[in-house]
Amino acid sequence: MNTQEFRYLIKNAKYQTKYEPIINSKNESIYAYEALSKFEIDQEIISTEEIFRKLHHNNLLFFELERRNKELQIECFDEDKKLFLNFDADIVNTIEQKEYWEDFLKPHKENIVVEITENGSDDEKSTKIIHQFSQWLKNKNIDSALDDFGQDGSMFSFFLMSRSKYIKIDKSFLAQIRENKNYTFYLEGLLKTIKMNNQKSIIEGIETKEDYNLAVSLGCDYMQGYFFNDLVIIK
């Protein structure tokens, strides 16, 4: 599929947003929602990961798609909660793109949290762009969340950790604990570090009652995962 064909499919795809709840572990209330994009092309659901892989080195098309996505995600959201929006740093790269996103985010600064993804972070250029984006958000006083912290043992997250208000702990931590309970102490130490840094922790991948009980017992701030699927909103 060439770029022109791909552009046509993306611009004409049926679009939905799945708003996934983020739960306050202290009182079980919904603290916020994360907006997740869903695309349907020729009756086939295409994951954002597949699309983003194709777009990662096509900055103009990527920006065009995400501008549409973010506008719709905010437009369709009518809950009185914070909204976490996923941002790939590659779409906040040029001066024009930074100006656009600053103007876009400014009216919503009190309610929006920009979730920084690490797509392409193994690429040296992308790594530099992510660092710049993280610092740009901090300079603009825009709250951010560092997504998938410690994914597959990655150390990259540590270089960005100090700039974000929220640290989203990757679901792989819970997966490891299911295999070996000793990893609980590793997660406990990470949660303490986040708290000492005056940041907020979000444990991702809560799938079972056991995951839920563990997260609460360790004193994390917030939780997210399939366990709370009955609270999901799709628009």
Side-chain angles (χ1 to χ4, degrees):
M1 183 185 301
N2 61 40
T3 300
Q4 186 173 357
E5 292 171 327
F6 189 66
R7 180 191 297 272
Y8 174 81
L9 287 175
I10 291 303
K11 293 186 73 171
N12 290 277
K14 182 179 177 182
Y15 174 88
Q16 279 188 328
T17 297
K18 174 184 176 184
Y19 296 97
E20 191 170 283
I22 296 172
I23 305 298
N24 188 324
S25 63
K26 305 297 188 297
N27 58 22
E28 301 182 1
S29 65
I30 297 175
Y31 173 72
Y33 286 88
E34 178 184 351
L36 301 171
S37 301
K38 299 292 180 184
F39 299 90
E40 183 179 318
I41 301 174
D42 294 333
Q43 298 184 329
E44 179 184 358
I45 299 295
I46 307 296
S47 72
T48 54
E49 289 80 7
E50 292 177 72
I51 291 173
F52 285 2
R53 274 197 298 270
K54 288 181 178 290
L55 292 176
H56 211 270
H57 298 289
N58 187 330
N59 180 260
L60 293 179
L61 185 54
F62 200 177
F63 172 71
E64 183 180 331
L65 171 66
E66 280 294 79
R67 182 169 61 178
R68 172 201 177 199
N69 287 351
K70 301 300 179 269
E71 288 173 354
L72 286 169
Q73 286 170 348
I74 288 181
E75 181 183 322
C76 294
F77 187 69
D78 55 7
E79 302 292 317
D80 186 23
K81 305 289 181 184
K82 285 189 178 294
L83 180 62
F84 282 57
L85 295 178
N86 286 279
F87 270 75
D88 189 302
D90 275 10
I91 62 166
V92 194
N93 192 6
T94 68
I95 293 174
E96 292 78 11
Q97 288 171 357
K98 288 177 180 177
E99 289 176 349
Y100 173 81
W101 290 119
E102 182 177 3
D103 290 341
F104 175 80
L105 292 167
K106 190 181 297 182
H108 310 286
K109 279 178 66 172
E110 297 302 315
N111 301 313
I112 293 295
V113 177
V114 172
E115 193 163 322
I116 304 171
T117 65
E118 294 184 22
N119 293 334
S121 61
D122 57 338
D123 175 272
E124 186 174 340
K125 181 180 177 182
S126 292
T127 301
K128 183 178 179 181
I129 291 171
I130 292 174
H131 274 281
Q132 292 172 343
F133 178 46
S134 176
Q135 188 61 52
W136 179 80
L137 289 169
K138 189 172 183 180
N139 293 344
K140 298 298 179 182
N141 295 312
I142 299 170
D143 285 344
S144 66
L146 183 56
D147 192 24
D148 297 334
F149 184 90
Q151 184 179 38
D152 298 325
S154 169
M155 293 295 289
F156 179 77
S157 303
F158 284 96
F159 297 107
L160 297 172
M161 188 176 184
S162 63
R163 299 175 189 157
S164 294
K165 180 175 179 178
Y166 302 89
I167 307 298
K168 300 191 74 177
I169 298 168
D170 187 66
K171 62 184 180 181
S172 59
F173 276 83
L174 290 181
Q176 289 291 344
I177 289 171
R178 293 185 198 110
E179 297 294 322
N180 185 338
K181 297 299 182 183
N182 289 331
Y183 283 101
T184 304
F185 300 106
Y186 184 14
L187 178 55
E188 185 177 18
L190 176 55
L191 290 170
K192 287 182 178 178
T193 301
I194 292 170
K195 185 175 183 179
M196 290 174 68
N197 286 339
N198 295 315
Q199 296 165 302
K200 297 296 183 182
S201 57
I202 303 173
I203 295 182
E204 299 181 293
I206 305 293
E207 298 179 359
T208 65
K209 184 66 174 178
E210 288 72 24
D211 293 338
Y212 173 90
N213 289 338
L214 176 63
V216 171
S217 69
L218 291 178
C220 72
D221 295 299
Y222 306 106
M223 303 172 286
Q224 186 176 358
Y226 295 132
F227 187 68
F228 309 106
N229 255 11
D230 58 331
L231 303 175
V232 165
I233 299 170
I234 297 178
K235 292 186 178 180

